[in-house]
């Protein structure tokens, strides 16, 4: 995984944790298996048990690409 | 059909890596350079989508230029393959307090993280011309669209033999991998796809300002019981 943040990209003001909109969480599924995801708010990840992948959420933006996801057991 | 296939073979060099890298380069100046030319199309797409009763998906949302143009009572999710662009879109959403935007997500438009039949409308302004497999993207847009819902496209459709078409062909051969978009885009890419999909029906094809350079296309997903031939709604067709 690479951090491709551009140098000038602003950090969120005041460092408050970015919330994921519940309307979005309700809709998102695993792009591979199309099954529901578990939201890990502490790690900022969306877990697909069926694909055994954890999709990262960076600055409030879910990264729903298998090639950028972390493999889990 | 074969026109589209030959064409697709020619631009196989335009892969997702090219597109992603090109957009990372463009992100800082994209708004300034393209805003004026592309604004009427964004507005037309957002206006058409705002009539939808249900969630709207904006595919290729980029820096979110059209996000403020959706009606405030809509619910919009934006997706893009470029993370730098999405981050800019997120700043815009916070800055302008666009409460109708329910989320911004990085995903591949041919393999989206949504269930079938999720959205009442899917808009893709200036998107199809920058992807390696436009028909695979159309398949995926149709998959996440609810029956009765519409795909709203805005893009440049190239002519056959005018001077602009020749220039586009030249640009296509020499520049497509560097630009991250394909200047040449025959209507047959969309037309052949609609012909192959009996549930999908062209409901509008309209040239937009400035100079009819871009075309707004609305494609409706018919409900399961209605067939194409039985539909009586008149086709709003305005060709340049």
């Amino acid at each position: 995984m690479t951090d491709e943040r551009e140098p000038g990209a602003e950090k969120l003001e005041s460092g408050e944790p970015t919330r994921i909109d519940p309307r979005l969480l309700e809709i998102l599924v695993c792009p591979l298996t199309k099954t529901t995801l578990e939201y890990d708010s502490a790690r900022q990840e969306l877990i697909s048990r069926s694909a055994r992948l954890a999709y990262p959420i960076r600055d409030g933006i879910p990264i729903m690409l298998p090639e950028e996801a972390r493999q889990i057991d | 059909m074969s026109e589209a296939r030959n064409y697709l073979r020619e631009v196989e060099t335009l892969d997702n890596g090219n597109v992603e890298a090109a957009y990372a380069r463009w992100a800082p100046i994209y708004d300034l350079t393209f805003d004026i030319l592309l604004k009427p199309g964004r507005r037309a797409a957002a206006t058409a989508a705002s009539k939808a009763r249900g969630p709207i998906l904006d595919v290729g949302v980029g820096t979110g230029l059209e996000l403020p143009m959706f009606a405030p009572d809509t619910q919009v999710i934006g997706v893009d393959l470029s993370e730098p662009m999405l981050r800019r879109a997120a700043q815009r959403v916070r800055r302008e307090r666009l409460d109708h935007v329910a989320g911004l997500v990085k995903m591949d438009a041919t393999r989206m993280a949504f269930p079938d039949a999720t959205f009442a409308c899917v808009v893709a302004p200036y998107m199809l011309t920058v992807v390696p497999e436009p028909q695979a993207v159309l398949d995926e847009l149709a998959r996440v669209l609810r029956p009765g819902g519409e795909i709203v496209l805005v893009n440049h459709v190239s002519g056959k033999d005018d001077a602009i078409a020749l220039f586009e062909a030249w640009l296509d051969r020499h520049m497509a991998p560097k630009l991250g978009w394909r200047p040449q885009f025959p209507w047959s890419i969309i037309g052949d796809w609609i012909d192959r999909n009996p549930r999908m029906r062209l409901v509008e094809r309209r040239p937009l300002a400035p100079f009819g350079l871009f075309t707004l296309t609305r494609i409706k997903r018919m409900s399961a019981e209605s067939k194409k031939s039985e539909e009586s709604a008149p086709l709003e067709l305005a060709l340049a």
Side-chain angles (χ1 to χ4, degrees), chain B residues 45-88:
Chain B
T47 302
S50 294
K51 290 174 189 141
R53 297 275 72 91
I56 298 166
L57 176 65
D58 186 329
V59 182
V61 67
T63 62
L65 282 166
E66 65 267 11
L67 289 177
M69 300 172 182
F70 291 95
D73 63 345
T74 56
Q75 179 187 318
V76 181
I77 289 174
V79 304
D80 206 286
L81 194 59
S82 166
E83 216 172 319
M85 290 239 184
L86 284 170
R87 216 171 266 118
R88 275 173 184 269

Side-chain angles (χ1 to χ4, degrees), chain A residues 6-13 59, chain B residues 87-88 91 94-95:
Chain A
E6 53 172 338
E10 285 122 271
K11 277 266 147 208
L12 296 185
E13 311 83 49
D59 294 344
Chain B
R87 216 171 266 118
R88 275 173 184 269
Q91 287 168 9
R94 283 193 297 273
R95 194 174 59 232

Side-chain angles (χ1 to χ4, degrees), chain A residues 4-6 9-10 12-13 21 23-24 27-29 31 34 58-59 61-68, chain B residues 20 75 77 83 86-88 91 94 99 101-106 108 111-115 118 143:
Chain A
E4 51 192 1
R5 251 161 263 201
E6 53 172 338
E10 285 122 271
L12 296 185
E13 311 83 49
D21 195 309
R23 293 173 296 179
L24 177 63
I27 284 180
L28 282 179
V29 295
K34 305 291 187 276
R58 293 199 279 264
D59 294 344
I61 300 170
I63 312 296
M64 302 310 292
L65 297 174
E67 53 272 29
E68 295 197 38
Chain B
E20 213 178 341
Q75 179 187 318
I77 289 174
E83 216 172 319
L86 284 170
R87 216 171 266 118
R88 275 173 184 269
Q91 287 168 9
R94 283 193 297 273
D99 292 336
V101 179
L104 297 164
V105 189
K106 181 176 184 178
D108 182 335
R111 200 178 45 182
M112 293 198 284
F114 300 116
T118 300
R143 182 185 71 79

